Structure formats: structure tokens, C-alpha cells
Amino acid sequence: MRSSALSEGRAVRWMLVALAVGFLALFLVLPLLAVFSEALRRGVDAFLAAFTEPDTQAAIGLTLLVAAIAVPLNLVFGVAAAWAVAKFEFAGKSLLVTLIDLPFSVSPVVSGLVYVLLFGAKGLLGPLMDDWQFKIIFAVPGIVLATIFVTFPFIARELIPLMQEQGTAEEEAALTLGASGWRTFLTVTLPNVRWALLYGVLLCNARAMGEFGAVSVVSGHIRGLTNTMPLHVEILYNEYNFVAAFAVASLLAGLALVTLGAKSILEWRYGDSLARVHRH
């Protein structure tokens, strides 16, 4: 009885493993292989030529610029929000936590539409922006705002559970010994959460570079000016320029794989610390 039960359990485990591997192969590995194979279908020269186009270079530059602005701002917000939620009690704390989670429950397209209703030509603040001659919608500022909105939960949500579990004992001890609040943060709080912080930054950066829905609404799809890489892929594909479309898509896929690799390294080397982050 014991051997049959064990063999049955082993068979079930192998079946589940096979099912998981098959699912990943069908919905993850095969699409990635298709992207890279289509990008290289006409050879390496055609693949590299896709990146010499001015519009493609502008899309890559804009994507990196938006990520370079959105990720540091979300880093500051995420650390500040997590520190406030985990270390202090104040009125409106539950509301702050709810607002942090808001982008997870709102469609990116809806969030982009909100910015259009606020800052568009006929929006609530549109006439004021026109008076100041400051353009937000169909310009880089709108893309940055939309990207910040959809990505700001990632860092805060990685830090809050870990900071709550660590408590305030170490900070209180440092303050008792005469350390200032800023020095306590730099020498006690930040080192304790550094790997969770890096983990959150990786996820935030990946989402910032790959965001499509919110950016699509506020960008205006102006080639060479407001098209990020995901939007540029769509335009190239709709124009039947498949090699160029898949070439740019392969760059996005490569960035995603690098992020996944860095994430896996963090989980392997600092798995215990990161496990505490996700335990809640």
C-alpha cells in the first residue's frame, strides 16, 4: 500500500511538472522563439538595419528616457510610502495603502483616458496648460505621467511587507543612541531592505519600458516624437514591416529576459529575504 501510494504520488508530481513545462513552452517559450526567428528571418543585416531607422532610434530613446524619469520618481515615492505605512501610524493610512494598489485594479487605458480628460485640449486643466504653453497630452510629459501611474505600486508593494515584519526596534535604538532620522534611514532602514528595493526597481523598470495601454492613449502616436517601443512595434506591424516590427519586439523581449535573469539571481542569492516580502 505504501509503495503504491508513493508511486501514485510520484506519477501525479511528474504529471503536474509536465503540465507546467508544457504550458510554459506553449505560452512563453514558443512565442519568444517566434519573435526572434521572425526578426532574423531575412538575416542579421536586415535585423540590424531595422535599428538604423530614425523613427526606431527615436522610439528606443523615448522609452529609455521615460523609464529613466519614471523609475527614480517611483523609487522615491515607493520608499517614502513604504516607510510611512510600515513605521508610523497616522490618519488616512488605510487610504494611502488603497491608493497604492489602485493601478492594479484600474485598466491602463482608463488611466490614460483620465489624463486626457484632465490635461487634454478640452479637459479640466487643458485651457490652463494652453495659457502656460505647456503641452502634456500628445507629448513626453503625458507619457511620463501615464507610466508613473501604472508603475508606482511595484516598489512600494515590495517594501511594505518587509518593513512591517522588521518593525521599528532597530530604528528606535539608533534614534536613542543619537542618530538623526536621515542617518537612521541610510544606515539602518535602507540596508535592511536593499534587495527587496532592487527587486522592486527591476519590476518597475520592466513595466515602464513595456507599457502600452496608458501610453497609447496619451501619446498621439506621433512617429519620431511620442512613440515608445511598444507603440512603434504596433505601427511597424500594421504597415506589414514584419522584420522591423519583430526586431524591435525582440529588443523588448531581450530586456524582459535580462530583467527575468536579474530577478532569478536575486531570488537565488537572497531568497530568504525576498520570501519574507511575498509571505504576506
Side-chain angles (χ1 to χ4, degrees), residues 16-144:
L16 291 175
V17 170
L19 181 63
V21 171
F23 185 89
L24 290 174
L26 181 62
F27 292 101
L28 182 62
V29 177
L30 287 180
L32 282 174
L33 291 177
V35 168
F36 286 103
S37 64
E38 286 293 325
L40 296 169
R41 184 176 59 180
R42 295 183 182 175
V44 176
D45 291 339
F47 174 82
L48 296 177
F51 297 103
T52 63
E53 293 294 326
D55 290 343
T56 300
Q57 294 178 352
I60 295 172
L62 179 59
T63 301
L64 296 177
L65 174 64
V66 170
I69 297 173
V71 174
L73 290 177
N74 279 328
L75 173 62
V76 174
F77 167 81
V79 173
W83 197 13
V85 170
K87 306 295 183 178
F88 302 97
E89 294 295 333
F90 56 91
K93 181 176 178 178
S94 298
L95 177 61
L96 176 59
V97 174
T98 301
L99 292 176
I100 290 173
D101 291 334
L102 183 63
F104 287 146
S105 57
V106 175
S107 168
V109 174
V110 173
S111 65
L113 181 60
V114 168
Y115 285 109
V116 173
L117 295 175
L118 280 176
F119 301 111
K122 298 185 181 298
L124 184 63
L125 301 177
L128 182 62
M129 295 297 103
D130 289 339
D131 293 340
W132 290 350
Q133 296 183 344
F134 185 71
K135 193 172 184 181
I136 294 180
I137 301 302
F138 306 151
V140 174
I143 298 174
V144 172

Side-chain angles (χ1 to χ4, degrees), residues 5 22 31 34 72 74 88 102 120 147 152 154 158 162 182 186 227 247 260 265 276:
N74 279 328
F88 302 97
L102 183 63
T147 303
F152 79 77
F154 287 94
E158 292 298 322
L162 182 58
W182 181 243
L186 290 178
N227 274 339
L260 182 62
I265 292 173
R276 289 198 298 269

Side-chain angles (χ1 to χ4, degrees), residues 128-228:
L128 182 62
M129 295 297 103
D130 289 339
D131 293 340
W132 290 350
Q133 296 183 344
F134 185 71
K135 193 172 184 181
I136 294 180
I137 301 302
F138 306 151
V140 174
I143 298 174
V144 172
L145 286 175
T147 303
I148 289 174
F149 179 84
V150 298
T151 57
F152 79 77
F154 287 94
I155 295 176
R157 264 298 160 201
E158 292 298 322
L159 295 179
I160 289 173
L162 182 58
M163 285 186 172
Q164 286 177 331
E165 183 175 339
Q166 290 174 345
T168 60
E170 293 186 20
E171 284 84 358
E172 291 173 354
L175 292 172
T176 302
L177 293 173
S180 64
W182 181 243
R183 185 175 182 182
T184 300
F185 172 75
L186 290 178
T187 59
V188 178
T189 305
L190 194 59
N192 286 339
V193 299
R194 60 189 183 277
W195 301 118
L197 179 61
L198 181 57
Y199 189 86
V201 168
L202 287 173
L203 296 179
C204 180
N205 184 68
R207 178 65 186 273
M209 290 191 295
E211 174 56 32
F212 180 87
V215 171
S216 178
V217 175
V218 302
S219 71
H221 295 267
I222 305 173
R223 297 186 69 152
L225 294 176
T226 63
N227 274 339
T228 58

